[in-house]
Amino acid sequence: MTALKIVLWVLLALAVLAALVLALAPLRRTLLTRPVFRLYRKVLPTMSQTERDALEAGTVWWEGELFRGRPDWQRLLAIPRPALSAEEQAFLEGPTARVCAMVDDWRVTEQDLDLPPEVWAALKRDGFFGMIIPKEYGGLGFSAFAHSEIVTRLSTRCSALAVSVMVPNSLGPAELLLHYGTEAQKDHYLPRLARGDEIPAFALTSPWAGSDAAAIPDYGVVCRGQWQGREVLGMRVTWDKRYITLAPVCTLLGLAFRLYDPDGLLGPTPDIGITCALVPRDHPGVETGRRHFPLNAMFMNGPTRGKDVFMPLDFIIGGAERAGHGWRMLMECLAAGRSISLPSSNTGMSQLTTRAVGAYARVRSQFQLAVGKFEGVQEALARIGGNTYAMDAARVMTAGAIDLGERPSVVSAIVKYHVTERARQVVNDGMDIIGGKGICLGPSNFLGRAYQQLPIGITVEGANILTRSLIIFGQGAIRCHPHVLDEMRAAQNPKTDEGLLAFDRAFWAHVRFVSANTLRTLGSALTAGRFNRAPGQADAALQPYYRALGRLSAAFALSCDACMLALGGSLKRRESLSARLGDVLAQMYLASAVLKRFEDQGRPADDLPLAQWALQDALWRAQEALLGVLDNLPQRALAKTLRVVIFPWGRPWKRPSDHLGQQVAQLLIAPGGARERLTANCFVPADVGEPVAAIEAALSATIEAEAIEARVRKLQKSGTLGHDPKANVRDLATAAFEAGALGQEDYAIMQKRNALRDQVVKVDDFPPDLHRRPTA
């Protein structure tokens, strides 16, 4: 208790000091603010224009509330629930379902090595490539939520299908044209993109500048040249790009490069900056067509190159006046695409795993018991169900934010990283459960391709290691903090007196903020958050989680300020600490999304175990991340003090219990509302000859046969069946029927179950020459 008394005295002294300095504003600015201001300006690291563009791009949304230390839960619950329009719902159930039925993933990956021509034709005809393009340009004009729902469903069927649709609707020519294109560019290209007459790709990544996209070596030089029989002002561009999705089949290439003007043809600036242009594939000098081979995924992906390719300035998106604005354009548009594409596709992959593996665990039995009833398997099923619930909640909430006009750059990084990482856990757990069936590829393996392709989502649109260690907190600490960005802007103000006044306001607001969060954190910790705010209209069973998140938010805000104060600019280089702080923020966001989902869906009682598992898991992960920060903070005295303030009674949160995990597992292995809601986007074919449809049919047949099988096993144990060789795990029903112990109707039920079970557990085999194996 001695340490606690010291902390309380320190807090009291701070409160008195704060009252004094606030009461004496002129004296405060002279004696206190001015030296701090000078020091701040001295230690503040220089910031390039590209860094500033990245930092200021997008908007601050719910993550800003989590940074405040006192989230406004009424604001969360008041966010409109995303919903499909009648037109969007019809598209999901019509063209989307039809195109899913047209694709055989095994044939795509083993024989065609591409989507069939009729599928490409359907995608163009039905407008899949123009979902984000407004109707006035011939597009569908769908919401971001509809875009997400469609991609999620396509991803439960075939990755090549999903990626081919999501890329034209993500960051690329259409998105950039809508925001920055000239009217002539919009009128020409957007209708063609909407009809599928143009297939777009966007080339950003370079072999020498992957994650460091701002350092791309591809360049253009402003010059004069011949274009359509006359001399025009243009540029000669040289590029070498790789990993460009749809590049092998694109007809319109979006291209990012750095533009130079050494002769001053556009003005006095020789280094104009990153520029984005649209280049037709058949433009002289453009090289595309070759393919990469990304882990047996058959979506089109490959390199593109060009050397000294002359193009007029009209090729620049937005025209010549947008030259050098490319990085800002990319940063401002990145949040929307990154919020939808990978979160949707990886959630779809997880929904497929949840539905198929859950059913498989009921159909497949070992030791005379369905494998889904073994506690070891139930642990994996609980992770599958709980993670999928959290992922889908975050996907829906984030897509809804885009429709509200937000461009949440920090949230987009959170969902990109954490949804793809949880998808990796989900699919790995699914593979563990289905065992040998999962490791043998073939037409009946519903999970093998997803397992192969997991690293793609981890790698693209910002490698996960970089996203976690540099972007989530590195950008969030400044962008979402209520005062830090104001302080930085004030310190960078070239007018010293004006900057000092602005800094004074921001700095002392920051002092009040830290003082309040310190008191709030300690109070919440001592009372276990029992008096924290929770929305009265929220479900009673989940109100403790609102309070716990309020406590965690205050502790997070205090820890952020303490780390920034203690480490200053070096915090940026301490990536492990930044990553852990980012983990805390991310887990709070995921937990918020879970709370929002449960309320939005009408508080279904069946879903409560899923929500509780996801919330307990998020709180535990956040707690461990925060403890990791304190364990590794170099200033040990500060770390120990923070630990007393934040965790005076030790760790408050635990991992989800075995009992809760078993409840979640039971929801996955039995038909019901919870299972349907959790896997609502999963495409289930009508043909029981297909693996997922066979599993669904086998699940129903297994449940129907369970009581009969229990009677037969009882007969077997009693010795009624004697020593009949057929009284084995496979043919027991036949032995009972032949012994007269099973009626014709019951035997027919068992035979139906057996036939479907055998189809589900079947593993494909091929001739020794695998290159000549059949494709179906």
Side-chain angles (χ1 to χ4, degrees):
M1 293 297 293
T2 302
L4 186 57
K5 288 181 180 179
I6 294 173
V7 169
L8 290 173
W9 279 109
V10 169
L11 293 176
L12 180 61
L14 286 173
V16 173
L17 177 62
L20 289 173
V21 298
L22 290 174
L24 304 169
L27 189 62
R28 178 191 72 210
R29 280 195 292 271
T30 303
L31 297 181
L32 295 175
T33 306
R34 189 177 297 276
V36 175
F37 180 60
R38 289 172 178 168
L39 177 63
Y40 199 94
R41 295 184 76 168
K42 184 176 180 180
V43 301
L44 187 66
T46 57
M47 186 179 299
S48 68
Q49 186 60 46
T50 54
E51 288 178 312
R52 186 173 290 107
D53 288 344
L55 180 64
E56 296 180 354
T59 58
V60 177
W61 188 54
W62 177 250
E63 71 276 28
E65 286 289 326
L66 299 174
F67 250 96
R68 287 198 317 122
R70 199 180 183 195
D72 182 353
W73 299 117
Q74 298 295 343
R75 179 187 174 194
L76 175 71
L77 297 183
I79 296 172
R81 177 187 178 182
L84 298 177
S85 68
E87 180 185 4
E88 291 167 342
Q89 186 67 47
F91 190 90
L92 187 66
E93 302 303 332
T96 305
R98 286 197 298 272
V99 79
C100 283
M102 294 169 66
V103 174
D104 179 338
D105 190 61
W106 178 252
R107 179 174 176 177
V108 167
T109 55
E110 291 299 312
Q111 179 175 312
D112 296 342
L113 308 182
D114 186 12
L115 295 173
E118 60 270 21
V119 172
W120 280 108
L123 295 177
K124 296 176 182 180
R125 180 188 65 243
D126 293 327
F128 280 91
F129 297 142
M131 288 192 292
I132 68 169
I133 297 176
K135 290 185 176 182
E136 56 263 34
Y137 293 106
L140 297 177
F142 280 176
S143 64
F145 178 58
H147 177 192
S148 177
E149 290 283 283
I150 292 164
V151 170
T152 302
R153 181 161 299 185
L154 296 177
S155 299
T156 69
R157 185 60 168 167
C158 174
S159 64
L161 178 62
V163 173
S164 298
V165 169
M166 76 188 193
V167 167
N169 292 286
S170 183
L171 178 63
E175 177 84 1
L176 294 171
L177 281 169
L178 283 169
H179 289 88
Y180 308 107
T182 65
E183 291 305 314
Q185 288 172 337
K186 292 178 183 179
D187 291 341
H188 177 73
Y189 281 120
L190 288 177
R192 296 176 59 80
L193 288 165
R195 293 193 303 268
D197 294 344
E198 302 279 8
I199 302 296
F202 191 81
L204 175 61
T205 305
S206 160
W208 302 275
S211 296
D212 187 9
I216 52 175
D218 313 286
Y219 64 91
V221 177
V222 178
C223 62
R224 295 190 177 277
Q226 292 295 314
W227 172 247
Q228 295 181 342
R230 59 191 179 90
E231 185 179 79
V232 299
L233 192 59
M235 50 197 172
R236 292 202 175 273
V237 185
T238 297
W239 71 93
D240 186 353
K241 306 283 192 179
R242 66 181 179 188
Y243 310 144
I244 310 306
T245 302
L246 296 186
V249 295
C250 79
T251 62
L252 184 64
L253 181 68
L255 187 63
F257 55 93
R258 183 171 288 276
L259 185 62
Y260 296 91
D261 185 16
D263 298 327
L265 297 176
L266 294 181
T269 305
D271 183 355
I272 294 177
I274 293 176
T275 300
C276 296
L278 291 180
V279 189
R281 174 189 176 134
D282 58 3
H283 188 75
V286 176
E287 298 178 26
T288 58
R290 295 185 65 80
R291 291 179 69 175
H292 298 312
F293 191 21
L295 296 175
N296 255 35
M298 290 303 147
F299 60 85
M300 290 291 174
N301 185 279
T304 174
R305 302 178 181 91
K307 185 173 177 59
D308 291 331
V309 177
F310 181 80
M311 53 189 76
L313 295 179
D314 289 346
F315 278 23
I316 296 174
I317 297 175
E321 66 184 49
R322 287 283 182 180
H325 291 246
W327 185 246
R328 182 87 186 194
M329 292 158 60
L330 292 173
M331 290 298 98
E332 289 177 346
C333 291
L334 180 63
R338 192 164 57 180
S339 295
I340 294 173
S341 296
L342 287 170
S344 301
S345 60
N346 279 259
T347 299
M349 187 189 303
S350 297
Q351 287 196 20
L352 169 66
T353 304
T354 300
R355 191 172 190 106
V357 172
Y360 184 92
R362 185 72 172 267
V363 172
R364 184 78 159 108
S365 63
Q366 296 281 274
F367 307 104
Q368 301 182 10
L369 187 69
V371 299
K373 296 183 179 180
F374 287 89
E375 287 194 3
V377 174
Q378 287 177 336
E379 283 186 32
L381 286 172
R383 288 193 297 268
I384 290 173
N387 280 323
T388 300
Y389 189 89
M391 293 161 62
D392 203 43
R395 173 190 71 87
V396 171
M397 180 167 155
T398 307
I402 303 300
D403 283 327
L404 293 173
E406 300 289 345
R407 291 295 182 268
S409 54
V410 176
V411 162
S412 70
I414 288 173
V415 292
K416 189 277 172 184
Y417 173 81
H418 286 275
V419 170
T420 56
E421 288 294 339
R422 287 180 183 242
R424 173 152 59 180
Q425 177 73 70
V426 166
V427 175
N428 279 336
D429 281 328
M431 288 290 283
D432 286 351
I433 292 172
I434 66 176
K437 180 179 176 64
I439 64 174
C440 294
L441 289 174
S444 64
N445 188 334
F446 57 86
L447 201 56
R449 292 303 189 202
Y451 179 79
Q452 275 187 314
Q453 295 162 21
L454 279 171
I456 297 174
I458 302 298
T459 303
V460 301
E461 288 196 15
N464 275 14
I465 289 177
L466 173 77
T467 300
R468 175 176 178 262
S469 62
L470 289 179
I471 297 177
I472 294 176
F473 182 76
Q475 187 173 9
I478 298 174
R479 192 72 176 92
C480 303
H481 194 286
H483 305 295
V484 168
L485 189 57
D486 290 337
E487 290 169 337
M488 291 178 62
R489 286 171 174 161
Q492 292 169 341
N493 192 327
K495 298 179 180 178
T496 303
D497 290 341
E498 185 178 297
L500 176 62
L501 288 172
F503 185 82
D504 182 73
R505 289 192 296 270
F507 177 74
W508 291 106
H510 196 162
V511 170
R512 291 193 298 272
F513 176 75
V514 172
S515 301
N517 270 324
T518 304
L519 293 170
R520 190 177 298 119
T521 299
L522 183 60
S524 291
L526 292 173
T527 61
R530 289 185 178 89
F531 301 105
N532 287 352
R533 294 187 301 181
Q537 73 271 32
D539 186 87
L542 296 188
Q543 287 201 6
Y545 297 101
Y546 288 96
R547 297 188 179 98
L549 282 170
R551 173 183 175 181
L552 184 59
S553 174
F556 169 71
L558 176 61
S559 300
C560 290
D561 279 312
C563 288
M564 287 189 284
L565 176 64
L567 298 172
S570 69
L571 180 59
K572 180 180 179 180
R573 297 188 295 275
R574 293 183 179 272
E575 296 175 21
S576 295
L577 286 178
S578 291
R580 293 186 183 101
L581 288 167
D583 288 343
V584 180
L585 175 62
Q587 296 304 329
M588 290 193 293
Y589 181 79
L590 293 175
S592 301
V594 167
L595 292 168
K596 178 82 169 114
R597 175 191 176 102
F598 189 76
E599 292 294 329
D600 281 352
Q601 292 195 334
R603 308 179 190 173
D606 289 350
D607 289 6
L608 188 58
L610 289 162
Q612 290 176 322
W613 192 99
L615 288 164
Q616 290 176 23
D617 176 70
L619 286 169
W620 178 80
R621 291 192 196 208
Q623 167 188 270
E624 296 306 299
L626 194 50
L627 285 167
V629 172
L630 301 182
D631 287 343
N632 291 277
L633 192 62
Q635 289 75 10
R636 299 312 303 150
L638 176 61
K640 290 176 182 178
T641 303
L642 287 172
R643 194 172 188 122
V644 171
V645 173
I646 297 171
F647 299 116
W649 315 125
R651 285 174 164 84
W653 300 299
K654 299 178 180 179
R655 286 181 172 181
S657 67
D658 291 346
H659 178 67
L660 181 59
Q662 289 158 13
Q663 290 179 290
V664 172
Q666 184 59 39
L667 295 176
L668 268 58
I669 66 174
R675 181 172 181 264
E676 290 300 317
R677 284 185 291 273
L678 189 59
T679 63
N681 289 96
C682 189
F683 175 75
V684 179
D687 181 6
V688 293
E690 295 206 40
V692 176
I695 290 174
E696 285 292 297
L699 175 62
S700 299
T702 296
I703 293 171
E704 185 181 13
E706 281 177 343
I708 303 169
E709 183 168 31
R711 295 203 316 268
V712 173
R713 291 198 181 281
K714 190 174 181 180
L715 290 172
Q716 182 188 28
K717 289 181 180 179
S718 69
T720 302
L721 303 182
H723 299 287
D724 187 342
K726 293 189 182 69
N728 59 58
V729 67
R730 185 190 63 211
D731 304 313
L732 184 60
T734 300
F737 178 70
E738 292 178 352
L742 197 64
Q744 181 67 50
E745 184 176 347
D746 286 346
Y747 180 54
I749 291 172
M750 293 295 289
Q751 285 293 87
K752 177 183 177 183
R753 190 285 308 268
N754 289 350
L756 287 167
R757 174 202 64 193
D758 293 347
Q759 183 180 345
V760 166
V761 302
K762 180 184 72 172
V763 173
D764 302 292
D765 55 69
F766 307 98
D769 184 357
L770 289 177
H771 291 291
R772 297 183 180 179
R773 60 192 184 276
T775 58

